[in-house]
Amino acid sequence: NAKNRGRHTYCLFQAGMGDEVRQRRALEKDLNSALSDGQFDLYFQPRMSLASAEIVGYEALIRWNHPDRGLVSPGEFIPVAEASGQIIAIGKYVLAQALDIASSTILDANISINVSPVQFRDKDFVDDVRQAIDRSGVPAGRIELEITENTLIEDDARALSVLTRLKEIGVRIALDDFGVGYSSLSYLSRFPFDCIKIDRSFVSEAKRNYGSLAIIETVVRLGKALDMRIVAEGVEDADELCILAQRGCHEAQGYLIGRPMPTDSLARSIPEVVSAALENQNFGGLQV
Ligand code: C2E
Ligand code: MG
Ligand code: MG
Ligand code: MG
């Protein structure tokens, strides 16, 4: 509908736009058969506790194996699916598939599932979540739904009521990509989040930039005061890991700990380089 398309129309008059429109239409058309043809896959990325140095859960990340183009990234096709409404069916697939895998393969770990703002606003969303949980038999407390601030800005009274119903089911709620976008601090006290995920941009800047480090420290303190778990996204090296551990961040996720992988090659424990870094805490100080 026009509302969802609205944020993409601003660049209508840019050069090369004709190609982009054609490209999006082509993706949208191909998305129609992607579900029925089984072209989607779920990959899983581990999340580790910095206190115990153990994997505590996995985030499900969708992958599209396009018959001609090969792997198309979610960054490319999710916006198309959101504008067309196809994200509703895709989101249901992700829920069912992730919970199916959680009930069989990923024993004893939590599972995180990304939810699009368009999916979140669908009137059947809460019922879909409840049904998927009932069918899978996965305890609701092991499931975390990740939403972004975009989900909250349009109608926050309705968003609050949806989140409250989800909490009644027993699932956990995470605020993804925190710090980029609108980032109203009042969201943190107004909505029932269990977890804040600090955006990767702060993590990758933290060792060069006092501002990013200060933001991480502040979010960790704020999150703890509000009784929320703090997860850092996009940890790529041992320095970043040590900074986060020293600042009291609860959990970390990123290529250093594990890349998103298909279920048959999932890591159950953290790599040696990670445990060594946590033991030695060998971070030498800011490189400014
Ligand atoms: P996100 O939920 O914030 O997921 C984190 C993204 O960062 C993932 O990209 C992940 O592969 C990537 N990443 C993780 N660790 C690192 C790292 O150390 N370095 C770098 N450079 N990147 C890292 P991905 O899988 O391409 O997904 C991009 C976004 O697409 C996700 O961001 C999420 O917003 C969306 N998405 C992915 N799967 C789904 C899904 O099933 N449903 C919905 N609605 N959105 C999804
Ligand atoms: Mg996420
Ligand atoms: Mg994120
Ligand atoms: Mg993101």
Side-chain angles (χ1 to χ4, degrees):
N1 63 26
K3 206 189 222 169
N4 294 331
R5 253 191 322 260
R7 69 192 166 95
H8 301 295
T9 51
Y10 67 95
C11 52
L12 253 181
F13 301 109
Q14 275 177 13
M17 197 50 206
D19 290 346
E20 200 176 305
V21 169
R22 226 168 296 132
Q23 164 98 343
R24 291 177 69 97
R25 287 213 186 105
L27 277 185
E28 183 179 327
K29 184 168 153 286
D30 294 347
L31 277 172
N32 280 329
S33 46
L35 259 185
S36 51
D37 284 359
Q39 294 166 9
F40 290 121
D41 253 335
L42 285 189
Y43 277 32
F44 291 86
Q45 186 180 34
R47 211 163 105 169
M48 74 169 290
S49 155
L50 288 169
S52 70
E54 280 172 349
I55 293 175
V56 290
Y58 297 86
E59 176 176 2
L61 294 159
I62 195 167
R63 296 292 177 262
W64 181 14
N65 300 296
H66 189 286
D68 312 318
R69 295 172 203 227
L71 216 61
V72 182
S73 83
E76 201 174 336
F77 74 82
I78 298 264
V80 176
E82 287 176 333
S84 67
Q86 291 160 312
I87 191 69
I88 305 287
I90 296 172
K92 279 185 200 172
Y93 161 83
V94 170
L95 254 177
Q97 186 71 8
L99 294 187
D100 185 44
I101 290 168
S103 71
S104 53
T105 333
I106 307 171
L107 300 165
D108 241 23
N110 298 326
I111 182 96
S112 303
I113 298 168
N114 291 285
V115 175
S116 150
V118 176
Q119 188 187 0
F120 187 91
R121 283 195 279 273
D122 184 64
K123 63 170 175 25
D124 297 326
F125 177 61
V126 176
D127 289 332
D128 291 345
V129 170
R130 191 181 291 115
Q131 271 178 29
I133 292 174
D134 288 348
R135 261 189 228 129
S136 70
V138 176
R142 272 179 54 199
I143 302 163
E144 189 163 88
L145 301 180
E146 298 191 0
I147 64 170
T148 59
E149 286 145 332
N150 294 338
T151 299
L152 310 172
I153 50 176
E154 263 186 35
D155 181 354
D156 64 9
R158 179 156 192 286
L160 180 58
S161 118
V162 172
L163 288 175
T164 306
R165 284 156 66 207
L166 290 169
K167 295 290 298 173
E168 280 162 13
I169 296 175
V171 299
R172 300 163 49 83
I173 309 289
L175 184 55
D176 202 355
D177 302 343
F178 185 72
V180 296
Y182 295 88
S183 294
S184 166
L185 285 182
S186 70
Y187 287 158
L188 292 183
S189 59
R190 235 175 334 139
F191 298 101
F193 298 118
D194 301 283
C195 171
I196 301 172
K197 300 189 79 173
I198 302 177
D199 192 73
R200 172 163 66 88
S201 53
F202 301 103
V203 173
S204 44
E205 284 297 305
K207 63 184 166 212
R208 282 180 295 269
N209 181 323
Y210 281 114
S212 296
L213 183 63
I215 288 174
I216 291 174
E217 289 173 342
T218 304
V219 174
V220 167
R221 224 174 299 142
L222 193 58
K224 285 185 173 170
L226 294 167
D227 203 20
M228 296 170 186
R229 282 192 85 70
I230 312 301
V231 182
E233 298 192 274
V235 177
E236 293 186 350
D237 65 38
D239 287 346
E240 293 167 1
L241 190 78
C242 290
I243 291 177
L244 293 160
Q246 285 164 1
R247 270 37 181 210
C249 186
H250 295 119
E251 294 176 29
Q253 209 177 347
Y255 292 170
L256 179 75
I257 298 144
R259 289 180 179 258
M261 297 292 257
T263 38
D264 54 14
S265 26
L266 269 190
R268 305 269 171 178
S269 57
I270 58 169
E272 181 56 35
V273 43
V274 169
S275 32
L278 285 176
E279 262 164 50
N280 302 334
Q281 292 285 331
N282 50 3
F283 175 60
L286 283 199
Q287 301 150 18
V288 274

